[in-house]
Structure formats: C-alpha cells, structure tokens
Amino acid sequence: MKNLSFPGLPRVLIIDDEEGVREGMRGLLQHEGLHVETATNAEDGVRRLEQRAVDIVFLDLNLPGADGLSMLSRLRRGSPPADIVILTGYGTVANTVEAMRKGATDVIEKPFTQDRILAVVRRCLETRQLKSELTWLQDRVRELTATELVGLSPRIREVQTRIDQVAHAPDTTVLVTGQSGTGKELVARCIHERSARRHGPFVAINCAALTESLLEAELFGYEPGAFTGASKDGKDGLFAIASGGTLFLDEIGEMEPTLQAKLLRVLQERTCRRVGGVHDIPVDVRIVASTNRDLRQMVQQQRFREDLYYRLAVMTVHVPTLAERAEDIPLLSHFFLDQIGRQMGKALSGFTEEAMETLCEYRWPGNVRELRNAIEHACIICPSGMIDEVHLPSFTGGAPDGSDEIARNTITIDGKDRSIRALESQLVAKVLDDTQWNISRAAAILGINRTTLYNKIRVYSLGKRPLRAVAKVEA
Ligand SMILES: Nc1ncnc2c1ncn2[C@@H]1O[C@H](COP(=O)(O)OP(=O)(O)OP(=O)(O)O)[C@@H](O)[C@H]1O
Ligand SMILES: [Mg+2]
C-alpha cells in the first residue's frame, strides 16, 4: 500500500467467525498501514459499519446467525458504499454469482494467500480513489456550469423555495407551469440539479415536436421490427435512458389522449413496456412536466385526462411572467450581458441609463427568453463599451407598456389640415402627454427610437403642455 496515497487511513472491516482468519488478516493489513476492525457475526458487522464508514468489508459467507449473503445489501448502505469482498470456504458458483449480483466487488476462496488479499485491497482502494476523484471533478464541472435561476424579486424567491422543496422529494412528479419563455425548462433543470438524482441524466423531450407514434417510440423504446422502419436492433426509450435521473416532458398539454393513458400507467406502475415488447421494465426516473396551457381548463374540456392531471400536479411550480417581476430586469440584463459578452469575447461594460430605462419599461410578452434575445442582439450590434438604446432591437413583438391605454383613445383630426404631418404631430403629442413625457415609453409606443422622437418634437415644436383640443373629423 505504500505507493498509494490516501487522505486518511483506509478502513477495513473483517467479518468472520474464525479467529485465525480475523487475526491473521488484521496483522497483515495493519502492517500495510490500514485501520482494521473485526466482527464475529453479520449483525455486529452492520452495527460497526453504521457507527463508522469503512472502505472495504471482508465478509465470510458462512456465519453463525444471519448469513453473510443476506446481510450484503445492508453492508452496502454507506455513501459511497463500502466494497464488499466475499470470503468463502465453499466456493460454489451459485454463491459467488449471487454475491456478485448483490453488489460484491470480489470473491476470495479460502484458503487464501496473503498476496491475494493484498492484491484485492490494492485494486479496491485504487478504484475508490478514482471514483472519488471523478465525483469531485463532476461536482466542480456542475458548479461551473450550474444552471442559475437569476432573480431577487419576491416572486422568483417563491419559485426558488418551491424548487428546493421539490428537490428534496426526488421521486415526486412535478408540473411546471408558466407562459412561454418564463424559464420553465430552467426550473426543471434546477430541480434535477438540486435533487439526489443530480448524478443521473437530465433528459428533455418536447411532446409537441413529434407525432404520437414517434413520441411513443421515443419514450418507451421499441423491440426489433416493432413497426415498419424500426431498427432491427430495437431501441431504448427515454424512460430507460434517463434511468436514475430526471425526464423532462415539455409541452405535456400537446400529448395525445392515448399516449396520456400510457404515461399514466407508467407513473402508477413505475414500469414501462417497449413498443412491441412483452416485458415490463422497471422505471427509475422523476418526471417533471411543463406546460404553458391551462391544463385544468383542458381537463374540463376533456382534452386532457383528469387522472393524469392530478398525478402530474402532485407538486406544481408556477413561474411568473417577467412583467410580474420587472424588478429583476436589471439583474437579468447584466447576467445575460456578462454571459453572452463572454461567449462572444467582447468587452461590454454595461448599459447606458437610457438603455436600461427602455429595458425596464418594456412589457416583455416573450418573457425572459425575449429579454435574453434582446441582449444578444445588442451584444452583436454594440462594438464595445456600454450598450445604448440604439443597440437594442425595436420592440415590435408585443404590446409595449401603456399601448392599450392609448389604443382605447381615438385620435381625431382637425377638419382643415388632414395632412399626415398634422396627424403625426397630434399623435406624437398625445402619446407624450399620455406617458407624462417619458421619452423611452413614448418612443416604444410610437415604434420609433428616441432620437427620431426628439427630432419630431423639434420639427413639430412640441412642448410639455396639455394636448390641444381636437376637433372631430368633419365629413
Ligand atoms: N431566471 C432566469 N435566470 C437566468 N436565465 C433565465 C431565467 N429564466 C429564463 N432564463 C433563460 O431564458 C431562456 C428561456 O428559458 P426556458 O427555455 O427555460 O423557458 P420556457 O418557459 O421553457 O419557455 P417555452 O415555454 O417557450 O419553452 C433560456 O435561455 C433560459 O436559460
Ligand atoms: Mg421550454
């Protein structure tokens, strides 16, 4: 062992009723610098292991009281579980196979040589070292690429709290609701990464993107020749691929009723069957489903199965619109600027006051996704330094803040001057008054940028004053 370096002394537990074996091994392994404990029966061994974790357990299969084989799974409960090396005086194939099936690392037949014991110990410790290094690296990678749900508003804090709650119940089905672009998939990823399933895969599928039969084959997999065009080797489904992890069913509201029934069966039975298959395969995934539809209403309209709805909605996480947490816009904008700027290798230092004002005043019908796209657009346009308003896209996608108030008012034009200029000057003046001369808001409503608006104010000699009385259009 001297050429291996381990943090702390490796610990070994020997469970054997033969004193000669226990003491012989103790001497050998202590001499190699390992910490050794012994037990004469399986119950005592389990008790010791519960008090203090060990790296390797040498377990005699033929013990008084409970036999070693039946105790094997209890001896592997630690995290990480101990390596179990079976000592058997009988060496029957059946025993060996059964022990390996239950998770034993190796089997040593009695009588054994010291070299055999040392070789097994060395291999176990090397593998444990590699595994712990791998876990450490995986954790670092996860930290660096951590999915971050940015926001400090009370609404997003509620979502954070909910994520933590559901993360602690790693088998419970979760339904994530919210408008398009609010961050439902991100929430699903956060649930996965904060749960005990984080070392397993996160697999996402969009239920709206595939036809019913393709979606079924994707989810459940299929047997060779299950349908025309099926690969001759068959295929694992996503329930199998996501095993140990999380399966994210995006846009669940778009799933056809027959498939809804099959999904319900999987959730209830915790097994699934490949298309064309006859065997039920155990399912070990957490389902997180998401929708931007009102599933309850769809249930009332009999477009979504009620039983499936209740099965999915055991826990729900509702993600608010960006407008409902507008105070997060500056933080999110800086987060995206930093992220996208770094990806593009651009040194962008922030936003001008006007640009930030525009970002904060817009209503963001496409939610966080639209904000991210706007920042990406700005990052492409802006050569360096601060993002200004001119770098932002013209927000034509949705109704800007205040536009519906304007729409409710009708603009009337002067009977004598029906030129476009006259109409425009009145429209600009009215929008300015309606927005209390908030230039950014007025420009957004008018669909022009601030510079153009300033020009129009100058050309039409508009000042901060009440809108002029306007006459009705004369026939
Ligand atoms: N709070 C947040 N912090 C950081 N990034 C976010 C946040 N919310 C959303 N995003 C980002 O916005 C984009 C859209 O989010 P996501 O795809 O999760 O939305 P969605 O609700 O699933 O949308 P859709 O219904 O259209 O599928 C992604 O790039 C995501 O990383
Ligand atoms: Mg999505």
Side-chain angles (χ1 to χ4, degrees):
M1 279 346 85
K2 284 160 190 123
N3 58 345
L4 294 172
S5 69
F6 292 97
L9 231 49
R11 301 178 72 88
V12 175
L13 171 65
I14 301 160
I15 310 175
D16 199 308
D17 59 333
E18 277 181 66
E19 192 181 353
V21 173
R22 285 197 313 270
E23 295 313 316
M25 286 181 72
R26 186 203 292 277
L28 173 70
L29 296 175
Q30 278 180 345
H31 181 70
E32 293 292 332
L34 278 78
H35 181 98
V36 181
E37 279 184 64
T38 59
T40 54
N41 59 61
E43 286 89 348
D44 187 26
V46 168
R47 238 187 332 269
R48 281 171 185 277
L49 209 82
E50 279 166 358
Q51 282 160 7
R52 179 98 200 246
V54 306
D55 298 290
I56 307 170
V57 178
F58 284 97
L59 174 67
D60 182 12
L61 275 195
N62 188 32
L63 288 167
D67 75 289
L69 206 55
S70 66
M71 298 302 269
L72 210 146
S73 52
R74 286 186 64 191
L75 290 165
R76 280 185 48 79
R77 277 198 196 146
S79 175
D83 277 293
I84 313 286
V85 180
I86 301 294
L87 300 173
T88 169
Y90 299 94
T92 64
V93 175
N95 259 353
T96 312
V97 170
E98 181 62 7
M100 298 302 271
R101 203 184 62 77
K102 288 190 163 176
T105 308
D106 212 335
V107 175
I108 296 181
E109 268 181 56
K110 290 180 185 175
F112 45 76
T113 62
Q114 293 195 342
D115 284 350
R116 172 82 174 118
I117 296 285
L118 291 181
V120 169
V121 168
R122 188 182 296 272
R123 193 158 45 75
C124 284
L125 291 181
E126 274 173 348
T127 309
R128 291 178 77 77
Q129 173 88 344
L130 286 175
K131 275 190 193 155
S132 88
E133 280 173 10
L134 182 66
T135 311
W136 185 87
L137 283 171
Q138 282 173 334
D139 285 345
R140 294 294 83 69
V141 169
R142 200 165 293 115
E143 267 172 29
L144 289 172
T145 55
T147 29
E148 203 180 339
L149 192 71
V150 175
L152 291 170
S153 60
R155 296 296 304 269
I156 210 73
R157 279 176 199 262
E158 278 170 27
V159 174
Q160 300 272 18
T161 309
R162 202 57 187 261
I163 289 173
D164 286 334
Q165 288 166 343
V166 298
H168 283 98
D171 295 330
T172 304
T173 303
V174 186
L175 180 65
V176 185
T177 60
Q179 279 185 11
S180 182
T182 46
K184 296 185 294 298
E185 181 158 352
L186 190 65
V187 165
R189 283 181 189 277
C190 289
I191 292 172
H192 171 73
E193 286 184 12
R194 293 183 204 176
S195 78
R197 294 183 169 272
R198 64 182 163 278
H199 294 288
F202 177 89
V203 178
I205 182 156
N206 187 329
C207 301
L210 297 173
T211 62
E212 187 183 359
S213 51
L214 277 179
L215 182 59
E216 181 177 1
E218 275 301 309
L219 287 174
F220 303 114
Y222 55 81
E223 292 296 329
F227 48 85
T228 324
S231 123
K232 68 177 181 351
D233 300 326
K235 193 177 157 202
D236 272 342
L238 296 181
F239 278 107
I241 291 169
S243 192
T246 304
L247 180 58
F248 177 56
L249 301 177
D250 202 1
E251 301 201 39
I252 187 84
E254 312 308 313
M255 192 180 264
E256 297 291 333
T258 41
L259 209 47
Q260 289 177 23
K262 289 179 183 164
L263 175 62
L264 178 68
R265 190 176 159 270
V266 176
L267 293 175
Q268 281 168 342
E269 314 281 324
R270 292 253 148 219
T271 60
C272 75
R273 198 176 280 193
R274 282 177 162 200
V275 176
V278 288
H279 300 295
D280 289 330
I281 309 163
V283 165
D284 173 24
V285 295
R286 176 208 304 253
I287 300 290
V288 179
S290 100
T291 184
N292 52 18
R293 307 267 221 119
D294 184 346
L295 277 194
R296 224 175 305 202
Q297 193 185 27
M298 287 181 72
V299 167
Q300 277 161 15
Q301 295 165 344
Q302 300 192 332
R303 284 158 59 215
F304 200 84
R305 287 184 71 110
E306 187 174 14
D307 42 11
L308 178 60
Y309 170 74
Y310 286 113
R311 198 75 193 73
L312 289 173
V314 176
M315 285 300 282
T316 57
V317 182
H318 178 70
V319 193
T321 64
L322 186 53
E324 287 171 307
R325 46 179 154 130
E327 62 268 49
D328 283 337
I329 293 172
L331 195 63
L332 279 163
S333 304
H334 281 283
F335 172 78
F336 291 137
L337 179 69
D338 190 51
Q339 191 185 55
I340 299 165
R342 211 162 344 118
Q343 278 167 12
M344 290 183 182
K346 275 194 174 181
L348 298 167
S349 52
F351 300 87
T352 63
E353 224 170 277
E354 290 78 15
M356 189 46 81
E357 202 180 295
T358 303
L359 290 171
C360 289
E361 278 160 7
Y362 182 57
R363 199 178 275 178
W364 302 109
N367 296 297
V368 186
R369 173 174 292 119
E370 191 185 5
L371 174 62
R372 194 183 188 285
N373 291 344
I375 307 290
E376 186 171 343
H377 174 104
C379 287
I380 294 168
I381 306 282
C382 182
S384 64
M386 303 274 259
I387 303 269
D388 197 6
E389 242 182 319
V390 291
H391 302 125
L392 296 173
S394 53
F395 297 116
T396 51
D401 209 3
S403 64
D404 28 0
E405 300 153 38
I406 306 295
R408 271 185 257 117
N409 298 324
T410 41
I411 289 273
T412 48
I413 53 168
D414 193 304
K416 292 177 208 96
D417 187 354
R418 297 189 181 185
S419 69
I420 289 174
R421 276 175 59 88
L423 183 59
E424 185 177 82
S425 103
Q426 283 198 41
L427 178 66
V428 172
K430 173 149 177 55
V431 172
L432 283 167
D433 284 343
D434 283 349
T435 58
Q436 280 88 47
W437 277 69
N438 181 324
I439 299 296
S440 300
R441 242 174 99 189
I445 292 168
L446 290 163
I448 55 179
N449 65 33
R450 286 164 55 102
T451 316
T452 312
L453 179 55
Y454 279 123
N455 277 337
K456 293 197 187 298
I457 292 169
R458 195 169 34 80
V459 169
Y460 298 135
S461 311
L462 301 173
K464 272 196 187 182
R465 60 197 144 95
L467 190 67
R468 284 146 295 186
V470 283
K472 288 226 159 104
V473 181
E474 285 167 14

